[in-house]
């Protein structure tokens, strides 16, 4: 997300990330800005910098009758880059509608959009780097990403010790890498380029419960548990593309690819629980469990 739209960044360390997926090692969560308490508020920033950098960020938000809130922002950025053959354009958009049934229960609908097109300058050998670190011997390499994320989110604070959180999400995305993929020690032969294309179509739902409870007179415990469903479909293709300089992301022989054509289906059901016992203000013990 654009830096102007980030309220804070949360870092979840180590095995605590098992709540969110099968991987160890932690997770970063980008917490976005919240809607204004006013009926209407605009925020924006316009930036012009070196190498033809142009960046514009604009957001509107507000709250109506203390129940309904809205937030929308759009970010556009373009530039030529420090090295040759490193131009880029990027767009980010986000929209959220939220309705508060009470102070303790809300439901929201969200849409996130991101796309960027970047010209890839390619690597350099040590000798080329010493000669001129800003040069590029790849001028036909491009990378493109499109990202669409739809989500419905609800949170219910049953009481001061118990919360229920539910999410449903849908992802439609793609990535495309185009160009000469030979070793960087070889000059571009200006023949047909390689195109690697990926399409992603995923859907999922998650339900989690957070419960705080006392242990004796001084210690406290917190338990979070939940279930997650995920279904994904990834289509991965590789073949030859044209030999021109533009970002034409199309195969020469789409029905008979020279490289590969795979479909990766995925179905996942998982259950997770994490329990934390606070022995004092500075000492706690945690345990995690995840089953898939």
């Amino acid at each position: 997300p654009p830096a102007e739209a980030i309220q804070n960044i949360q870092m979840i360390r180590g095995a605590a990330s098992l709540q969110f997926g099968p991987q160890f090692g932690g997770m970063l969560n980008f917490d976005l800005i919240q809607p204004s308490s006013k009926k209407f508020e605009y925020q924006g920033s316009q930036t012009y910098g070196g190498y033809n950098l142009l960046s514009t960020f604009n957001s509107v938000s507000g709250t109506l009758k203390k129940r309904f809130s809205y937030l929308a922002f759009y970010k556009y950025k373009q530039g030529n880059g420090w090295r040759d053959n490193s131009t880029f354009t990027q767009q980010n958009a986000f929209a959220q509608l939220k309705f508060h049934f009470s102070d303790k229960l809300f439901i929201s609908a969200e849409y996130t959009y991101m796309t960027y097109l970047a010209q890839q300058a390619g690597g350099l050998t040590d000798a080329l780097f010493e000669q001129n670190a800003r040069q590029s011997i790849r001028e036909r390499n491009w990378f493109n990403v499109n990202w669409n994320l739809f989500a419905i989110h609800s949170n219910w604070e049953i009481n001061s010790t118990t919360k229920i959180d539910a999410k449903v999400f849908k992802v439609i995305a793609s990535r495309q890498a185009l160009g000469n993929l030979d070793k960087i020690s070889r000059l571009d032969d200006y023949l047909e380029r390689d195109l690697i294309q990926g399409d992603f179509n995923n859907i999922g739902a998650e339900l989690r419960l957070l419960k705080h409870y006392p242990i004796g007179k001084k210690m406290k415990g917190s338990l979070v548990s939940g279930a997650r469903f995920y279904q994904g479909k990834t289509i991965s293709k590789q073949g030859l593309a044209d030999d021109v300089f533009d970002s034409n992301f199309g195969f020469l022989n789409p029905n008979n690819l020279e490289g590969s054509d795979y479909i990766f289906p995925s179905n996942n059901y998982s259950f997770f629980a994490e329990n934390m016992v606070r022995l004092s203000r500075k000492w706690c013990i945690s345990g995690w469990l995840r089953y898939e």
Side-chain angles (χ1 to χ4, degrees):
E4 299 92 335
I6 298 175
Q7 184 168 277
N8 59 70
I9 299 176
Q10 301 167 339
M11 183 178 70
I12 299 174
R13 295 185 293 177
S17 63
L18 285 178
Q19 290 185 32
F20 308 95
Q23 73 286 338
F24 290 88
M27 186 191 75
L28 288 178
N29 179 45
F30 294 92
D31 191 13
L32 299 183
I33 56 178
Q34 296 299 308
S36 172
S37 58
K38 303 175 182 178
K39 291 184 178 181
F40 177 83
E41 183 175 291
Y42 166 79
Q43 293 184 358
S45 64
Q46 321 303 323
T47 305
Y48 181 76
Y51 307 103
N52 290 325
L53 173 66
L54 174 64
S55 175
T56 175
F57 174 83
N58 301 276
S59 73
V60 293
S61 66
T63 301
L64 307 176
K65 297 183 178 180
K66 298 182 180 181
R67 295 291 187 188
F68 177 76
S69 63
Y70 63 93
L71 168 66
F73 63 75
Y74 174 75
K75 171 75 176 275
Y76 176 81
K77 183 167 61 174
Q78 70 175 35
N80 290 345
W82 181 76
R83 292 182 60 198
D84 295 337
N85 302 318
S86 58
T87 60
F88 66 90
T89 58
Q90 179 175 339
Q91 298 181 70
N92 292 81
F94 176 80
Q96 179 195 74
L97 300 176
K98 181 185 290 188
F99 183 78
H100 292 263
F101 296 94
S102 67
D103 294 338
K104 298 183 178 181
L105 174 62
F106 75 79
I107 185 171
S108 68
E110 302 173 359
Y111 170 65
T112 304
Y113 171 74
M114 187 272 286
T115 182
Y116 71 84
L117 175 65
Q119 190 176 14
Q120 304 285 284
L124 294 175
T125 64
D126 291 345
L128 289 172
F129 184 86
E130 291 294 334
Q131 181 187 74
N132 179 8
R134 295 181 60 181
Q135 68 175 307
S136 166
I137 60 173
R138 292 287 187 269
E139 53 185 337
R140 304 187 301 146
N141 289 17
W142 298 85
F143 189 69
N144 175 244
V145 168
N146 287 282
W147 180 275
N148 295 273
L149 172 61
F150 307 87
I152 297 176
H153 178 210
S154 181
N155 186 279
W156 181 23
E157 184 178 348
I158 300 175
N159 52 49
S160 60
T161 63
T162 308
K163 291 182 180 180
I164 293 179
D165 191 88
K167 293 185 179 74
V168 178
F169 62 88
K170 172 74 174 177
V171 177
I172 302 174
S174 67
R175 65 180 296 276
Q176 302 180 95
L178 172 68
N180 183 332
L181 305 182
D182 283 341
K183 293 181 179 179
I184 200 60
S185 58
R186 301 178 181 177
L187 295 175
D188 194 346
D189 54 19
Y190 295 99
L191 299 177
E192 289 84 359
R193 297 176 290 179
D194 287 307
L195 173 59
I196 303 175
Q197 192 177 80
D199 292 293
F200 312 93
N201 197 326
N202 310 325
I203 190 170
E206 181 181 272
L207 179 67
R208 61 174 57 226
L209 169 70
L210 173 64
K211 179 68 177 180
H212 302 290
Y213 58 92
I215 304 175
K217 295 183 178 180
K218 294 185 178 181
M219 294 189 298
K220 295 181 179 180
S222 298
L223 171 67
V224 58
S225 60
R228 195 173 193 264
F229 161 74
Y230 170 85
Q231 183 180 70
K233 180 181 180 182
T234 299
I235 300 175
S236 180
K237 298 181 179 181
Q238 182 170 359
L240 292 180
D242 60 32
D243 59 358
V244 299
F245 291 80
D246 297 333
S247 54
N248 300 329
F249 297 100
F251 292 108
L252 291 178
N253 304 294
N255 298 322
N256 186 24
L257 297 177
E258 296 80 8
S260 59
D261 187 352
Y262 294 110
I263 297 177
F264 300 99
S266 175
N267 289 282
N268 178 268
Y269 304 87
S270 59
F271 304 89
F272 54 87
E274 176 185 347
N275 191 67
M276 181 169 61
V277 177
R278 294 188 178 274
L279 304 178
S280 68
R281 293 181 60 186
K282 297 183 179 180
W283 187 19
C284 67
I285 299 176
S286 299
W288 300 269
L289 173 69
R290 184 179 182 88
Y291 175 78
E292 298 206 10

